[in-house]
């Protein structure tokens, strides 16, 4: 929870697209993603997270990718939501040990711990490629990590980037465009932007 870029919100139930998210101690209908209250970022209430969740849901139509890579997983909300939506498996990366603990706890809470793998580090800590890669960070690290993030995107795969201040959206888009990623769409909300890009290979 970066005090300079996001604000801390009281956990409460919310719905984003078809997905319902609720605090761990709240009564919830089946299929709800339940999250513990922790220091790890990602309750679904922040615009950057909500835009990512909407983009993931859209990316699952008309066919569901076989796996997802979540860079900077935080609470695990994006990876866990993708699993609930039907993605078979996900890998979450984070440099923060507390975030990895929170994500592991949330995976167990939702019965998804066998389908979510968690690894300490950034996108350079793993090898291989994924059909769907998401990274909800900030603009500066997204630009810095662009070369390795793009290498993690598989054949005609998609890269979803969020946590971008709308004023620097074009910089992030350009950094990825130079690496062969094609612009699919951009969305903005409350001063934040999210990008969906597709591999040209």
């Amino acid at each position: 929870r970066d005090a300079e870029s996001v604000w801390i919100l009281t956990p409460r139930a919310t719905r984003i697209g078809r997905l319902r998210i609720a605090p761990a101690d709240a009564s919830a209908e089946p299929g709800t993603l339940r999250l513990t209250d922790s220091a790890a970022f990602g309750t679904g209430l922040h615009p950057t997270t909500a835009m990512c969740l909407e983009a993931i849901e859209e990316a699952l139509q008309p066919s569901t990718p076989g796996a997802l890579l979540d860079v900077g997983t935080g609470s695990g909300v994006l990876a866990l939501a993708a699993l609930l939506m039907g993605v078979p498996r996900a890998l979450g990366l984070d440099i923060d040990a507390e975030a990895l603990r929170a994500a592991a706890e949330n995976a167990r809470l939702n019965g998804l711990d066998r389908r979510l793998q968690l690894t300490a580090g950034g996108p350079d800590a793993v090898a291989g490629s994924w059909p769907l890669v998401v990274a909800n960070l900030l603009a500066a690290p997204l630009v810095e990590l662009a070369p390795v993030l793009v290498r993690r995107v598989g054949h005609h795969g998609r890269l979803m980037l969020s946590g971008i201040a709308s004023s620097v959206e074009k910089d992030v888009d350009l950094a990825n465009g130079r690496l062969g990623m094609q612009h699919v769409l951009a969305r903005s909300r409350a001063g934040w932007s999210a990008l969906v890009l597709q591999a040209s290979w």
Side-chain angles (χ1 to χ4, degrees):
R1 301 183 185 189
D2 181 349
E4 295 181 358
S5 62
V6 299
W7 56 89
I8 296 173
L9 297 163
T10 302
R12 63 179 187 272
T14 186
R15 183 177 292 278
I16 301 165
R18 293 184 292 112
L19 180 70
R20 181 173 170 80
I21 302 173
D25 55 0
S27 58
E29 60 194 57
T32 297
L33 178 60
R34 298 168 66 208
L35 299 174
T36 58
D37 185 25
S38 72
F41 177 67
T43 62
L45 296 173
H46 194 273
T48 61
T49 311
M51 287 188 291
C52 271
L53 291 169
E54 291 166 355
I56 289 171
E57 183 174 329
E58 291 169 8
L60 303 190
Q61 306 297 328
S63 61
T64 302
L68 173 141
L69 177 65
D70 181 12
V71 180
T73 194
S75 69
V77 59
L78 299 178
L80 294 171
L83 294 175
L84 277 181
M85 293 179 197
V87 175
R89 60 186 180 88
L91 170 60
L93 304 173
D94 209 295
I95 59 174
D96 182 359
E98 175 56 35
L100 293 172
R101 283 192 291 271
E105 184 177 351
N106 285 326
R108 287 191 295 271
L109 178 65
N110 290 278
L112 297 169
D113 44 314
R114 292 187 178 182
R115 294 165 56 199
L116 176 64
Q117 178 186 350
L118 295 166
T119 298
D124 54 352
V126 294
S129 60
W130 281 258
L132 186 56
V133 178
V134 297
N136 184 11
L137 304 173
L138 290 171
L142 287 176
V143 170
E144 181 183 349
L145 292 171
V148 66
L149 282 172
V150 167
R151 287 199 298 272
R152 297 292 161 257
V153 182
H155 176 65
H156 292 314
R158 289 204 167 185
L159 175 62
M160 298 176 180
L161 304 175
S162 192
I164 307 163
S166 295
S167 59
V168 292
E169 173 195 319
K170 290 183 179 178
D171 297 330
V172 179
D173 201 4
L174 182 60
N176 286 274
R178 288 172 176 160
L179 297 167
M181 298 300 293
Q182 297 176 338
H183 181 98
V184 175
L185 66 86
R187 64 182 73 204
S188 297
R189 190 173 304 161
W192 298 95
S193 292
L195 295 169
V196 179
L197 308 161
Q198 184 160 334
S200 57
W201 53 89

